[in-house]
């Protein structure tokens, strides 16, 4: 598999040490995915045990918090996406990715407004600005990846979901949310 959740991850200590553990710049969201990708690029396997069960008290963004706002949840996820995009980008593409952060934040904010999720607009801008101008640790993440990588990105390609499947999955999630909202509205 491409990655496993941090809550159910078992890792050899030698691998954990050689990869430097979780990327400290990533929030708890995506830290396990990033670690799994780096392990794969270092030539190791990531295996899932379908019968394993792990109990959890909320998502990783909940660690240490009793509640998390939609804005904070969206901001945390977007910050992780942007960090990974810049950390994984080829060196020649890095300036273009950096320059696209703010224009994409504007476009995505408009999309969030059109999708009637105004709480996510601040997260789009906050994440883009923090990634572009904040204390970013992209350089350290890129150096770590370069130091430990033994195989190419092509080794991960078969494990990634095709874009069509991602769109279909998101459409199903939106339909399920609409159905849930409709049922709640008719019951009220």
């Amino acid at each position: 598999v491409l990655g496993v959740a941090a809550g159910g991850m078992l890792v050899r200590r030698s691998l954990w040490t050689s990869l430097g553990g979780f990327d400290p710049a990533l929030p708890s969201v995506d830290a396990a995915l990033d670690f799994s990708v780096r392990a794969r690029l270092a030539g190791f396997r990531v295996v899932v045990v379908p019968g394993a069960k792990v109990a959890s008290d909320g998502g990783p963004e909940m660690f240490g918090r009793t509640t998390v706002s939609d804005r904070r949840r969206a901001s945390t996820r977007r910050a992780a996406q942007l960090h990974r995009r810049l950390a994984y980008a080829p060196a020649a593409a890095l300036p273009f990715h950096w320059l696209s952060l703010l224009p994409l934040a504007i476009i995505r904010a408009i999309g969030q407004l059109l999708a009637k999720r105004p709480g996510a607009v601040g997260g789009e801008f906050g994440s883009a600005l923090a990634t572009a101008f904040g204390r970013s640790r992209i350089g350290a993440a890129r150096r770590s990846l370069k130091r430990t990588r033994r195989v190419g990105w092509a080794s991960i390609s078969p494990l990634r979901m095709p874009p069509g499947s991602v769109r279909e999955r998101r459409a199903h999630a939106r339909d399920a949310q609409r159905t849930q909202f409709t049922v709640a509205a008719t019951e009220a």
Side-chain angles (χ1 to χ4, degrees):
V1 296
L2 181 60
V4 295
M9 187 183 282
L10 295 175
V11 183
R12 285 191 190 120
R13 184 172 192 80
S14 59
L15 174 61
W16 181 267
T17 305
S18 69
L19 294 180
F22 291 142
D23 186 342
L26 278 173
S28 52
V29 174
D30 282 2
L33 173 63
D34 174 68
F35 183 81
S36 298
V37 166
R38 289 186 292 127
R40 280 228 169 251
L41 290 174
F44 293 92
R45 293 181 304 144
V46 177
V47 180
V48 68
V49 178
K53 296 186 191 275
V54 176
S56 175
D57 191 21
E61 67 273 7
M62 296 291 291
F63 292 161
R65 297 181 183 91
T66 56
T67 61
V68 175
S69 68
D70 288 340
R71 179 178 185 258
R72 180 137 172 103
R73 186 175 285 118
S75 177
T76 301
R77 287 188 177 135
R78 186 65 181 152
Q81 289 172 350
L82 294 176
H83 176 81
R84 284 187 300 111
R85 177 179 294 156
L86 293 176
Y88 297 168
L94 192 59
F96 299 109
H97 282 293
W98 186 83
L99 289 172
S100 72
L101 289 174
L102 290 178
L104 281 177
I106 293 168
I107 292 168
R108 287 179 57 95
I110 292 168
Q112 297 291 6
L113 288 173
L114 293 173
K116 299 183 181 180
R117 291 188 297 259
V121 172
E124 291 292 342
F125 287 113
S127 300
L129 290 170
T131 302
F133 303 111
R135 290 191 216 179
S136 178
R137 296 183 189 147
I138 307 260
R142 291 179 63 80
R143 285 188 297 277
S144 174
L145 184 63
K146 184 178 180 180
R147 177 180 49 82
T148 60
R149 195 173 109 192
R150 303 286 176 259
V151 297
W153 288 97
S155 66
I156 291 177
S157 294
L159 301 170
R160 298 182 71 196
M161 285 180 73
S165 297
V166 172
R167 280 191 300 276
E168 184 178 335
R169 186 177 219 172
R170 288 180 180 160
H172 286 302
R174 282 191 305 271
D175 289 344
Q177 186 178 18
R178 284 187 197 123
T179 303
Q180 182 182 11
F181 180 73
T182 304
V183 169
T186 56
E187 289 177 355

